[in-house]
Amino acid sequence: MKKSGILNSHIAKVLADLGHTDYIVIADIGLPVPDGVPKIDLALTYGVPSFRDVVHVISEDMEIEQITIAEEMVQQNEDTFLYMQDKFASIPLSRCSHEEFKHYCQKAKVIIRTGESRPYANCILHAGVHFGATQQ
């Protein structure tokens, strides 16, 4: 049995299989999932689990080199935008229109659906490379 980290086997497998420049989407309850893109649905009820909870847990286990959000988050969900800026202060944060964001979702490795019910609580996490300790 796994001792720590992400216990959800589907999420753990997706993260283990990511390569450099692959990306995943963490989504609110309203983001449409394009045909053919796998969805891991964590939503239990409105707000559970929250977008922040899922982002936090995944960011502890994933090497992230860039984050993309919809421009609409800035004005229509300022608390979440400020959270993302603060949490990922050292990682480039790019913005695009919500329509462009939905287009990018078509090539995501997975969309992880949260129970978040605030608007535009979505992000794309782009995988980086973690070289860790090297053997000699």
Side-chain angles (χ1 to χ4, degrees):
M1 178 173 208
K2 194 165 167 37
K3 185 173 162 180
S4 64
I6 293 176
L7 300 178
N8 181 294
S9 61
H10 302 291
I11 295 173
K13 170 123 178 64
V14 166
L15 295 182
D17 288 344
L18 288 176
H20 186 225
T21 74
D22 287 339
Y23 58 89
I24 66 170
V25 175
I26 301 176
D28 61 26
I29 59 172
L31 188 73
V33 177
D35 290 339
V37 177
K39 174 178 74 173
I40 299 172
D41 195 343
L42 302 178
L44 297 173
T45 189
Y46 288 99
V48 179
S50 72
F51 174 79
R52 290 181 188 194
D53 288 343
V54 175
V55 166
H56 175 74
V57 170
I58 289 177
S59 69
E60 294 293 309
D61 211 21
M62 178 182 174
E63 186 68 31
I64 302 168
E65 75 174 13
Q66 179 183 339
I67 298 167
T68 303
I69 61 168
E71 182 68 40
E72 289 85 347
M73 180 193 285
V74 178
Q75 295 298 320
Q76 297 186 42
N77 192 344
E78 185 179 13
D79 288 345
T80 299
F81 174 64
L82 294 173
Y83 167 78
M84 294 297 286
Q85 275 191 314
D86 182 56
K87 174 130 183 90
F88 299 108
S90 64
I91 297 174
L93 181 69
S94 64
R95 302 181 210 171
C96 63
S97 73
H98 188 61
E99 287 305 312
E100 287 177 287
F101 189 96
K102 290 189 288 187
H103 179 74
Y104 291 133
C105 288
Q106 295 174 4
K107 296 197 179 193
K109 293 294 181 181
V110 71
I111 294 178
I112 300 171
R113 182 177 178 245
T114 70
E116 188 62 61
S117 58
R118 288 180 284 176
Y120 303 104
N122 307 297
C123 68
I124 298 172
L125 303 178
H126 301 262
V129 178
H130 180 74
F131 289 107
T134 58
Q135 291 183 340
Q136 293 187 13

